[in-house]
Amino acid sequence: LQHAMEDIMFQWFVRNAVEPYRSEIYYFAKCANIPLGAIVTVNLVYDMTVSCTGIVAEDDNGIIYHGRNLDYGEIPLLRNS
């Protein structure tokens, strides 16, 4: 089942990933010596299960502001204790 899920996630990645995300994932997998399918799966599962909220805004002077709320919910490992 794990390999089937990795194959599905990998195929989705190949069809849909855009730059610079695509290159970043390929490079990380290469440097970490971890199969690309495993890296893609972990990234996509994380993105689908964590409910982080982000916002980007620009002020009148053209300064960009980025804020993010890390809503890790029921994942104790990822929360501040």
Side-chain angles (χ1 to χ4, degrees):
L1 182 61
Q2 178 184 350
H3 293 294
M5 180 182 233
E6 285 182 17
D7 288 343
I8 291 167
M9 298 290 196
F10 178 76
Q11 291 304 317
W12 180 92
F13 177 80
V14 169
R15 288 189 311 272
N16 297 291
V18 296
E19 293 298 338
Y21 181 68
R22 175 191 298 266
S23 295
E24 180 181 305
I25 296 296
Y26 273 105
Y27 185 72
F28 184 84
K30 180 181 175 184
C31 290
N33 198 28
I34 298 173
L36 182 60
I39 297 294
V40 169
T41 300
V42 168
N43 266 275
L44 293 176
V45 168
Y46 172 82
D47 286 343
M48 290 184 289
T49 58
V50 176
S51 302
C52 296
T53 306
I55 185 170
V56 177
E58 181 178 359
D59 70 11
D60 293 337
N61 297 318
I63 296 174
I64 303 292
Y65 296 91
H66 175 244
R68 187 166 185 173
N69 183 18
L70 304 176
D71 305 320
Y72 291 123
E74 298 302 316
I75 307 173
L77 178 65
L78 300 177
R79 292 187 308 210
N80 281 337
S81 308

